[in-house]
Amino acid sequence: MHLSSALGDDIEWRGDLCPLDNAASVIGSRPTLLIVREAFYGTTRFDDFVIHTRLTTAVVSSRLKTLVENCVLEPQAYREPGKRSRNEYVLTDRGNALLPLVLALMQWGSDHVLEGGPVRADDAVSGRRLVVGPRDEQGAPIPADRITISPNSLWQPPDA
């Protein structure tokens, strides 16, 4: 990847305004990624997140709070007969936008860490393996050496 000359060595966008840094602060921990993975698998209830991720209740509680605060998951109240009201957690549009990241990490882990891995993502219609990677707006693959990181002229910084 290449930086456009307009970005130069401007430290501001590499610091507090770095999109990767900001995204990692929300979803960049292993426990958080496991919870997001489970949400994509259809898990919604606290106890099920604990069971499926094998994380402690304290860690799941903390990560769910962060994901709700950052509008990745949305709590929805439910009540089983004879029990107190509780929340289940569902992906928001912002959370669903993480699908390419989750699939790319899963694919990388299967291919490069587990050398084939126990699972893979397939197209349910064609049965073909899903391959995640950078593509242009028409869907054509783009190699890393053709990617330029440029300023977004439409972006407005948040009020300080």
Side-chain angles (χ1 to χ4, degrees):
M1 291 192 306
H2 311 281
L3 294 178
S4 84
S5 59
L7 288 173
D9 287 329
D10 184 1
I11 301 301
E12 185 175 346
W13 76 267
R14 290 188 185 196
D16 292 342
L17 298 180
C18 173
L20 182 61
D21 185 17
N22 279 267
S25 73
V26 175
I27 52 107
S29 71
R30 178 183 170 273
T32 303
L33 286 169
L34 293 177
I35 289 169
V36 170
R37 175 200 68 191
E38 287 305 317
F40 275 109
Y41 287 162
T43 301
T44 60
R45 296 191 176 178
F46 181 88
D47 292 340
D48 292 333
F49 282 114
V50 172
I51 292 165
H52 295 158
T53 62
R54 299 182 186 170
L55 300 169
T56 66
T57 57
V59 169
V60 170
S61 179
S62 170
R63 296 314 189 272
L64 285 174
K65 181 179 181 208
T66 297
L67 290 167
V68 168
E69 287 172 350
N70 287 279
C71 302
V72 173
L73 294 175
E74 178 179 65
Q76 294 182 349
Y78 74 94
R79 185 179 189 152
E80 292 180 356
K83 299 207 175 181
R84 66 180 175 87
S85 181
R86 302 180 83 181
N87 284 326
E88 56 185 8
Y89 300 88
V90 297
L91 288 162
T92 62
D93 289 343
R94 185 180 283 192
N96 279 305
L98 290 169
L99 182 59
L101 172 74
V102 171
L103 289 172
L105 284 171
M106 183 182 294
Q107 179 181 321
W108 185 85
S110 285
D111 293 349
H112 301 288
V113 178
L114 297 172
E115 300 180 22
V119 298
R120 67 182 220 172
D122 295 325
D123 179 333
V125 174
S126 71
R128 292 189 301 255
R129 183 170 189 236
L130 181 72
V131 177
V132 181
R135 301 190 179 284
D136 67 18
E137 291 175 337
Q138 282 75 43
I142 304 293
D145 64 351
R146 284 190 30 212
I147 296 172
T148 299
I149 306 301
S150 304
N152 179 357
S153 62
L154 302 176
W155 184 71
Q156 296 294 318
D159 295 331

